[in-house]
């Protein structure tokens, strides 16, 4: 099974949680971005017939920026994979392979592709 979709908004990197009164608090910008992604991922998962599996997964993220990308690609991936928890996967610990690429120029947004690891191996053989 394959989930593949383009999200046409500027990706936001995962910001560090701030400790306030002994509790970790995720910054509002990160929380809002992840909430938007959850909604979008649910809609796209319904559209393509994606169902959550317990198998290992391969995740590919292609980040597109209209100029130079601020931040580290791993922080963008963390925001995206955290939003996918409970929507595209049971837990991001299922990710056996992760590929993140960054591109400058063109339409801002990102491609997200999630496949079951076994399916990814079969695609490679073909």
């Amino acid at each position: 099974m394959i989930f593949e979709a383009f999200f046409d908004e500027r990706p936001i990197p995962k910001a560090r949680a701030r400790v306030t009164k002994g509790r970790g608090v995720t910054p509002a910008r990160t929380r809002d971005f992840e909430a938007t992604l959850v909604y979008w991922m649910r809609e796209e998962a319904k559209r393509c017939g994606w169902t959550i599996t317990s198998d290992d997964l391969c995740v590919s993220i292609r980040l597109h920026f209209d100029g130079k990308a601020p931040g580290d690609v791993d922080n963008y991936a963390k925001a995206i994979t955290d939003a996918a928890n409970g929507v595209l996967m049971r837990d991001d610990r299922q990710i056996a392979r992760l590929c993140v690429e960054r591109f400058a120029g063109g339409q801002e947004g990102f491609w997200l592709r999630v496949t079951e690891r076994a399916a990814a191996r079969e695609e490679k053989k073909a």
Side-chain angles (χ1 to χ4, degrees):
M1 203 171 1
I2 298 172
F3 173 93
E4 186 170 29
F6 183 75
F7 185 68
D8 64 352
E9 288 190 29
R10 183 181 181 86
I12 305 289
K14 178 87 173 197
R16 290 185 192 271
R18 306 290 181 235
V19 178
T20 306
K21 298 180 184 175
R23 291 185 51 210
V25 178
T26 302
R29 182 173 180 229
T30 299
R31 227 179 22 250
D32 293 346
F33 179 65
E34 288 178 356
T36 301
L37 288 183
V38 166
Y39 175 80
W40 169 76
M41 288 176 185
R42 279 192 181 124
E43 293 301 310
E44 289 297 317
K46 281 185 221 169
R47 186 188 58 75
C48 72
W50 179 263
T51 56
I52 293 178
T53 178
S54 57
D55 294 340
D56 282 348
L57 300 171
C58 298
V59 176
S60 177
I61 302 168
R62 296 175 50 119
L63 304 163
H64 294 268
F65 298 92
D66 61 3
K68 189 172 181 342
D72 302 333
V73 295
D74 60 320
N75 292 330
Y76 290 97
K78 186 64 178 159
I80 294 165
T81 58
D82 280 356
N85 281 331
V87 180
L88 301 179
M89 59 192 74
R90 293 186 195 288
D91 190 275
D92 55 9
R93 285 182 274 175
Q94 289 176 257
I95 299 172
R97 186 176 77 198
L98 175 64
C99 178
V100 185
E101 298 176 278
R102 177 181 61 213
F103 300 92
Q107 181 182 1
E108 285 197 321
F110 67 90
W111 280 100
L112 174 62
R113 179 182 170 97
V114 181
T115 59
E116 293 171 309
R117 191 173 191 187
R121 285 190 192 126
E122 292 302 315
E123 277 184 22
K124 227 175 187 180
K125 287 180 188 176

